[in-house]
Amino acid sequence: MSERQPKGGSRAPFSFSRARTSGRSMSVVRGLVPLCFAALVVAIVLATVVAVSLGPVRVPLDVTGGIIANHIAPGFFGPAGTPTENQIIWELRLPRAILALVVGAGLSLVGAALQAVVRNPLADPYLLGVSGGAAFGAVAVLVLGSSAIGAAPLSVAAFIGSMVATFAVYAIAQRHGRVTPTRLILAGVAIAYLFQAGYSYLLISAPSPQGLQGVLFWLLGSLAMIRWDGLFIPVVVLLAGCLILFVYARPLDALLTGDDTAVALGIDVQRLRITLVLVTSLLTGVMVAVSGAIAFVGLIVPHFVRLIVGSAHRRVLPLAFLVGALLMQVVDTVSRTVKAPLELPLSVVTAAIGVPFFLWLLRNRSNTEAD
């Protein structure tokens, strides 16, 4: 298969979701975006209140809302809930709910950016092996102890692993100083399998078998045990990543048309691709560090958004941020409640949603290409 795009980007890489952006359809899309944005914000607020009200100790929705409002704006609202309910809602459940929003938004942004960077409509945050490297660094801390890697905390170890994976992928993918999407994909798959083998070896050769079940559970995705002080790094990294990706919204559109067209528009494609991969690596590393490896979110959310508002990243990125946050909030709530008091790994729930959607994408794409 040739690695070069047709000159001028004559073939749309996202053939299954081609957007007609002229005439009446364009005006419809422009009018739809503010409505979607407002509806998603309301849905996220409602889903968050419902999420923190549910659990072994159920707190009424009005009491839950009152507790959150009292902590956000003290003195403006009357007292709500008992001291125990306040501790459960504010100290235990709300940090987890906020982390669910952060992780969902971060993974969705990474997926949307990577699908443009590698021009592969089936790409997700794990395509380039970045999550495998992050998981390896985190498992090294969890299994061997922080002394094994210089007392690095979990998030730092995961970020180091993600950076090692990123630079390894780029070193392998380069040929004559040029990196192409096909080489990136193949190198990423190889590195992902390498790191997966690495942390699998760490697990089976761990000096102490105690706690391995917890590590395996974390690898499949978990937001348990998060507190307010653990939210600072993920929130800061998410906001910084959002800002950078939003600035590069139009260059991302240019990448979709092919390298030749992007170069003709005055874009340094190699520098842009390296910058975006570094940003997505940082986002992925931090998200994996705080939540484990959660599958399918970065794949299905960008496609769902494109089906509604087209492929322009100035619309896709903010809506993917909100849809991903809402999806992860719902997924985490389901994982905590469907088999209570047991908790399901998040990837079990995301796979139940993502696999049918993924198969539908494959079939739809195949039909489009056949036509």
Side-chain angles (χ1 to χ4, degrees), residues 281-303:
S281 298
L282 175 60
L283 277 168
T284 303
V286 172
M287 298 306 144
V288 169
V290 297
S291 65
I294 303 174
F296 288 107
V297 175
L299 172 65
I300 65 177
V301 170
H303 284 295

Side-chain angles (χ1 to χ4, degrees), residues 138 162 216 230:
S162 67
L216 290 171

Side-chain angles (χ1 to χ4, degrees), residues 114-332:
L114 281 182
Q115 287 166 9
V117 169
V118 303
R119 294 203 302 274
N120 187 324
L122 301 180
D124 71 357
Y126 305 99
L127 179 71
L128 298 181
V130 179
S131 69
F136 178 83
V139 168
V141 172
L142 293 170
V143 173
L144 303 178
S146 58
S147 60
I149 53 172
L154 192 66
S155 59
V156 175
F159 174 64
I160 292 173
S162 67
M163 288 294 100
V164 170
T166 301
F167 286 115
V169 168
Y170 257 87
I172 296 171
Q174 281 194 20
R175 185 179 180 184
H176 305 305
R178 183 177 177 84
V179 177
T180 62
T182 300
R183 292 196 194 101
L184 276 175
I185 294 169
L186 296 176
V189 170
I191 291 297
Y193 277 115
L194 177 64
F195 278 112
Q196 183 179 357
Y199 67 67
S200 297
Y201 175 79
L202 288 177
L203 290 173
I204 64 175
S205 62
S208 174
Q210 286 80 17
L212 286 186
Q213 184 177 359
V215 176
L216 290 171
F217 188 90
W218 173 83
L219 279 172
L220 292 174
S222 174
L223 304 178
M225 305 305 293
I226 189 68
R227 298 294 181 267
W228 285 110
D229 55 359
L231 288 174
F232 178 76
I233 292 177
V235 170
V236 170
V237 170
L238 176 64
L239 294 178
C242 285
L243 179 61
I244 295 172
L245 292 178
F246 290 166
V247 168
Y248 283 108
R250 292 190 182 278
L252 281 169
D253 291 341
L255 283 180
L256 288 179
T257 65
D259 288 3
D260 292 338
T261 303
V263 170
L265 293 173
I267 296 173
D268 187 336
V269 173
Q270 292 296 97
R271 178 178 295 179
L272 173 63
R273 187 166 280 131
I274 291 174
T275 300
L276 292 173
V277 169
L278 288 175
V279 172
T280 54
S281 298
L282 175 60
L283 277 168
T284 303
V286 172
M287 298 306 144
V288 169
V290 297
S291 65
I294 303 174
F296 288 107
V297 175
L299 172 65
I300 65 177
V301 170
H303 284 295
F304 177 77
V305 171
R306 289 189 187 96
L307 291 173
I308 299 173
V309 298
S311 298
H313 284 86
R314 67 183 183 277
R315 297 189 295 268
V316 169
L317 290 175
L319 290 181
F321 180 101
L322 294 176
V323 173
L326 177 61
L327 174 63
M328 187 54 61
Q329 190 70 274
V330 173
V331 165
D332 186 51

Side-chain angles (χ1 to χ4, degrees), residues 66-78 90:
I67 291 172
I68 297 173
N70 278 324
H71 281 275
I72 294 176
F76 284 90
F77 303 93
W90 187 256

